[in-house]
Amino acid sequence: MPRYDFDLLTIGAGSGGVAGSRRAGSYGARVAICEQGRVGGTCVLRGCVPKKLLVYGAQFSDAFEDAAGFGWSVAPPAFDWPRLIAAKNKELDRLEGVYRTLLKNANVALIEGRAVVVDPHTVEVNGRRYTADNIMIATGGHPTTPELPGIEHVISSNEALDLPQLPRRIVIVGGGYIAVEFAGIFRGFGAEVVEIIRREELLYGFDDDVRVALAQEMRNRGIEIHTRCQVARIEKFPHGYSVFTTHGQEISADLVMYATGRKPNTAGLGLAEIGVALNAEGAIEVDAWQRTTVPNIYAVGDVTDRLNLTPVAIAEARAIAETLCNDNPIKMDHDDVPTAVFSNPPIGAVGLTEEAARRQFGEVDVYLARFRPMKNTLSGREERTVMKLIVEPRSDRVVGCHMLGPDAPEIIQGLAIAIKCGATKKQFDQTVGIHPSAAEEFVTMRDKLVRPTKLAAE
Ligand code: NDP
């Protein structure tokens, strides 16, 4: 008779929880997963997937515009938001079904309801107690907003993905991933978009050349960006809202969206009570093995608030399953994780920014290309692509790749393998390009960038 009901009990059926549970199940472990909502989690139901579907939808406006330069006559296109939302929801329903089937096929028991950890080996759901040898917390995070008068009127990305109507004018607060992605989405569908950020530039943490270029491209598309600006208060009127800024402006809109970060879902889980250490933001502290301060309790993904990306959560959870259920101890490697922002145009990046590389290595070589993609020659679109390589000169290793432009996420995914393998600039140069493509620029950059300021100093 086994000592516990399960070998592994996971709380949260999002990307991380499902991936780790399935992997453990595939090794014959007795696994259960608890979920209080729909199966799929943030990425599938409220994040990456629905967002990307809306990004695809929004990109058609560019395609219609560009077609004329290639000889097409396109009647003024009409767009039906409720139809897109219904199609998107149908796809999410399908995906939820797929996730449920995947769990079933991996012999993972699904326990539906809110879970509370009662002691290091016991979890309670709907008044029933389940015991487990190990517990994996994969409860994700939720959007947060600052405290200010009128904040109760704003929506988050959760609601933005399910609006009954497309707003004519929207104010988006925040300069991170979610804010710039939704600015591109709403603008693509024809809405007037005002983005308010508290810094000088969008996307803190990304390479400065890419940040500056993205803001320029967004402005060229008609998105108003108010920099070094904060919201003082928001007022509701019969036909919309007014956003009052610290710059003394009043901006009216049909809708105000906040994308000012996310917080880990740890409240009410019973973790602190049993000795699981949380940081000041409520994130679970874990070691390199994803282990919390209670040795048989593990945590993965956004609830640990480190690299909040779906593939990272998945890899962390699978590492736990390998370690516990396959006698194959694996630590997740958090170095050189590629990332993308599905803004319009999109960004792809892997490795260090120029600034971070200078901090780490002192002098670095920088290769920078800015060009008008071939498609834009006939379409007439002015948009320019930016590509950048950062090289550590002593080893010749390429320590950072950054791109803003069409297909950047697809291109950077491939380059991320080279970076992970420690590729040198010489090896980039020895690689034959694919012609004609934008990606070939990454293997044909010959001239080191000399910054104008440096020129002046010399
Ligand atoms: P981010 O942390 O990326 O950005 C939050 C933004 O809000 C920053 O610009 C921040 O400014 C600003 N901000 C924070 N607090 C305030 C405030 N009180 N007033 C005004 N502005 C404020 O969070 P997101 O919500 O955009 O996304 C959450 C996470 O989800 C991301 O970190 C990312 O890991 C993940 N994600 C990934 C995506 C992808 O991979 N494509 C897509 C969407 C989300 P400041 O820079 O000054 O702190």
Side-chain angles (χ1 to χ4, degrees):
M1 180 78 179
R3 193 160 163 214
Y4 300 109
D5 299 333
F6 300 102
D7 300 317
L8 177 69
L9 192 150
T10 303
I11 304 181
S15 301
V18 168
S21 302
R22 285 179 60 208
R23 180 65 61 91
S26 76
Y27 292 129
R30 297 167 309 130
V31 187
I33 190 164
C34 309
E35 174 56 57
Q36 61 174 354
R38 296 177 67 189
V39 174
T42 302
C43 176
V44 174
L45 301 168
R46 293 176 295 282
C48 326
V49 172
K51 176 276 306 286
K52 185 87 185 273
L53 293 174
L54 296 197
V55 167
Y56 280 130
Q59 283 170 347
F60 281 94
S61 54
D62 283 1
F64 291 128
E65 269 176 40
D66 293 350
F70 292 86
W72 291 89
S73 300
V74 183
F79 171 65
D80 184 343
W81 173 265
R83 221 164 84 206
L84 172 63
I85 297 302
K88 181 263 298 173
N89 287 342
K90 198 170 157 206
E91 172 58 8
L92 299 194
D93 291 344
R94 188 188 72 83
L95 285 175
E96 190 191 0
V98 169
Y99 266 66
R100 284 177 177 266
T101 307
L102 289 172
L103 287 172
K104 206 166 148 201
N105 292 347
N107 286 324
V108 177
L110 176 62
I111 301 170
E112 300 194 63
R114 182 163 174 78
V116 178
V117 185
V118 180
D119 68 45
H121 291 282
T122 310
V123 169
E124 188 173 306
V125 185
N126 298 332
R128 198 172 149 194
R129 292 192 171 194
Y130 302 88
T131 59
D133 193 3
N134 292 294
I135 293 174
M136 175 161 70
I137 313 288
T139 48
H142 62 276
T144 52
T145 49
E147 284 299 318
L148 57 92
I151 197 70
E152 67 278 10
H153 302 308
V154 312
I155 62 161
S156 72
S157 52
N158 291 349
E159 294 79 30
L161 289 163
D162 258 328
L163 294 173
Q165 276 178 336
L166 180 68
R168 263 184 319 105
R169 191 170 157 84
I170 183 165
V171 170
I172 300 178
V173 182
Y177 282 79
I178 296 179
V180 297
E181 290 181 341
F182 277 87
I185 289 170
F186 286 118
R187 186 68 198 132
F189 290 124
E192 286 175 40
V193 178
V194 177
E195 185 167 351
I196 299 178
I197 63 172
R198 63 184 181 183
R199 290 180 194 263
E200 183 61 31
E201 296 296 342
L202 303 162
L203 290 176
Y204 178 71
F206 280 78
D207 191 86
D208 286 344
D209 284 303
V210 166
R211 297 168 73 197
V212 170
L214 175 66
Q216 188 57 51
E217 297 299 347
M218 288 171 68
R219 288 190 170 108
N220 290 348
R221 287 167 177 276
I223 296 171
E224 245 180 70
I225 306 175
H226 295 233
T227 61
R228 291 197 186 282
C229 186
Q230 293 263 31
V231 174
R233 67 178 201 283
I234 299 158
E235 285 183 18
K236 186 176 186 323
F237 293 99
H239 298 292
Y241 303 91
S242 272
V243 175
F244 296 87
T245 72
T246 48
H247 290 178
Q249 296 147 306
E250 176 182 348
I251 307 168
S252 38
D254 299 331
L255 214 53
V256 183
M257 171 176 167
Y258 263 68
T260 47
R262 298 173 61 88
K263 273 210 161 139
N265 288 333
T266 46
L269 270 179
L271 295 172
E273 292 83 337
I274 60 155
V276 173
L278 309 176
N279 73 14
E281 304 299 319
I284 300 177
E285 289 178 3
V286 289
D287 66 12
W289 298 96
Q290 308 296 135
R291 212 167 27 194
T292 70
T293 43
V294 174
N296 71 307
I297 300 187
Y298 296 77
V300 299
D302 291 9
V303 77
T304 64
D305 197 18
R306 293 167 305 163
L307 270 174
N308 297 339
L309 301 169
T310 297
V312 172
I314 290 173
E316 290 170 351
R318 285 185 178 153
I320 294 171
E322 290 292 333
T323 305
L324 295 180
C325 309
N326 191 33
D327 198 16
N328 175 27
I330 293 182
K331 285 187 208 165
M332 166 67 191
D333 176 1
H334 290 94
D335 286 340
D336 295 327
V337 170
T339 187
V341 185
F342 294 94
S343 44
N344 193 11
I347 292 173
V350 60
L352 301 173
T353 63
E354 180 181 342
E355 196 192 321
R358 284 194 194 286
R359 266 201 313 271
Q360 190 167 327
F361 300 113
E363 274 307 287
V364 290
D365 293 336
V366 176
Y367 297 81
L368 182 68
R370 289 177 204 273
F371 58 93
R372 207 169 163 212
M374 190 196 249
K375 189 177 172 192
N376 293 357
T377 55
L378 294 200
S379 72
R381 186 172 292 284
E382 279 305 323
E383 189 178 284
R384 297 176 89 78
T385 285
V386 176
M387 287 179 173
K388 193 167 170 184
L389 289 179
I390 322 290
V391 179
E392 196 281 297
R394 278 169 297 273
S395 63
D396 195 41
R397 267 190 53 210
V398 179
V399 293
C401 289
H402 307 272
M403 176 173 175
L404 169 77
D407 302 322
E410 308 289 339
I411 293 169
I412 292 292
Q413 177 68 83
L415 286 184
I417 302 171
I419 302 299
K420 199 76 194 154
C421 294
T424 60
K425 178 67 168 66
K426 189 171 171 207
Q427 290 169 321
F428 269 61
D429 295 344
Q430 285 168 339
T431 305
V432 175
I434 293 177
H435 187 72
S437 70
E440 68 179 317
E441 192 66 28
F442 272 123
V443 293
T444 54
M445 290 199 227
R446 293 284 175 270
D447 300 321
K448 288 179 201 168
L449 177 73
V450 183
R451 295 273 180 203
T453 47
K454 219 171 165 198
L455 269 181
E458 280 166 0

